[in-house]
Amino acid sequence: FVSVLSSAIIAYRLPWTWKCSKILMKFIHAGLNTIAMILAIVSMVAVFEYHNARNIPNMYSLHSWIGLTAVIFYSLQLFLGFAVFLLPFAPVPLRAALMPIHVYSGLTIFATVIAAALMGITEKLIFSLKNPAYSASPPEATFVNSLGLLLVIFGALILWMASRPHWKRPPEENAKVLRPIGGTSEGTEAESTMTDGSNADKSDLGINSEAARKQNLKLDEAGQRSTM
């Protein structure tokens, strides 16, 4: 869940993906998130079946509470992502308004999943290591503690990549926005700049023409005065 979800988060942030079309990256992002959701559901079903088979109480630890909360919010995130950003029905202003919330909630869910994983491996060590105990720092404890540190470092690296502007997909490759069916796509920023530049040239030309006209009127008036 952690590895696939992190891959979905940085799908837009990898420089070698910037040459791919935006719609292709959207499908890759959605596909990775769907795989992560399937893995999470399979894992939760396995956990509940294991607990029930061994008569272990369900949902009593903080690890289980945070894990279930992360899966519930992740399912909502996935549904809204499909409905608003992947399907071409949502209006562009709605997408623009929800995009910061979508990004923030995705990163928050990822951090929550990392926290749940850290709690889970610690809980497993406490319950499993009896002789020697977890407090005696056997090799198993050292190995799993090292795994936890690597998870923290890995999560921090993913969050750093997802929050740094220089890892963001360049706007010239990301300028076309899907419109609802029957609408037209927006032009690129380069086209917008060219249009603005053209309008500015036309405006300058109009100003220059007006100035020339006024100058000619002044010359005509001066000529009439000299004649009179």
Side-chain angles (χ1 to χ4, degrees):
F1 191 25
V2 171
S3 60
V4 178
L5 178 56
S6 62
S7 300
I9 290 175
I10 62 172
Y12 293 103
R13 299 281 174 166
L14 301 176
W16 54 84
T17 66
W18 294 347
K19 295 181 180 180
C20 300
S21 65
K22 179 66 181 296
I23 188 64
L24 174 62
M25 296 312 302
K26 276 190 175 185
F27 278 108
I28 292 176
H29 179 73
L32 290 172
N33 278 293
T34 302
I35 294 173
M37 188 71 230
I38 294 173
L39 294 175
I41 293 174
V42 171
S43 301
M44 292 198 66
V45 171
V47 168
F48 279 101
E49 289 186 353
Y50 177 80
H51 281 202
N52 295 333
R54 298 206 170 198
N55 295 322
I56 300 174
N58 292 309
M59 301 303 299
Y60 67 90
S61 64
L62 182 60
H63 162 69
S64 60
W65 286 23
I66 291 182
L68 182 61
T69 301
V71 172
I72 291 174
F73 278 99
Y74 186 63
S75 62
L76 295 175
Q77 171 90 344
L78 187 62
F79 173 76
L80 292 177
F82 270 102
V84 176
F85 298 105
L86 189 63
L87 300 179
F89 301 109
V92 174
L94 178 62
R95 297 186 182 192
L98 291 181
M99 178 56 72
I101 301 175
H102 179 73
V103 173
Y104 175 78
S105 58
L107 297 180
T108 303
I109 291 170
F110 176 70
T112 305
V113 170
I114 293 288
L118 295 175
M119 294 178 185
I121 61 177
T122 303
E123 181 182 293
K124 184 64 176 178
L125 282 176
I126 294 174
F127 291 160
S128 299
L129 295 179
K130 300 298 183 182
N131 188 22
Y134 182 28
S135 58
S137 298
E140 295 88 348
T142 302
F143 174 78
V144 177
N145 287 345
S146 301
L147 175 62
L149 287 176
L150 290 176
L151 272 175
V152 172
I153 295 172
F154 177 75
L157 179 63
I158 296 298
L159 294 176
W160 183 82
M161 291 178 62
S163 59
R164 297 298 91 190
H166 58 271
W167 283 94
K168 189 175 182 180
R169 184 182 174 93
E172 62 270 17
E173 298 290 338
N174 191 24
K176 292 186 178 181
V177 180
L178 286 176
R179 290 281 191 175
I181 293 178
T184 58
S185 60
E186 296 178 351
T188 62
E189 289 188 1
E191 292 172 347
S192 177
T193 303
M194 293 174 60
T195 303
D196 293 341
S198 177
N199 291 338
D201 292 341
K202 290 180 181 179
S203 177
D204 292 340
L205 181 61
I207 293 173
N208 293 335
S209 300
E210 182 67 18
R213 188 179 66 82
K214 290 182 179 180
Q215 184 68 22
N216 290 334
L217 287 176
K218 290 181 181 180
L219 291 175
D220 290 341
E221 291 177 357
Q224 289 176 1
R225 285 173 185 165
S226 63
T227 302
M228 290 172 65

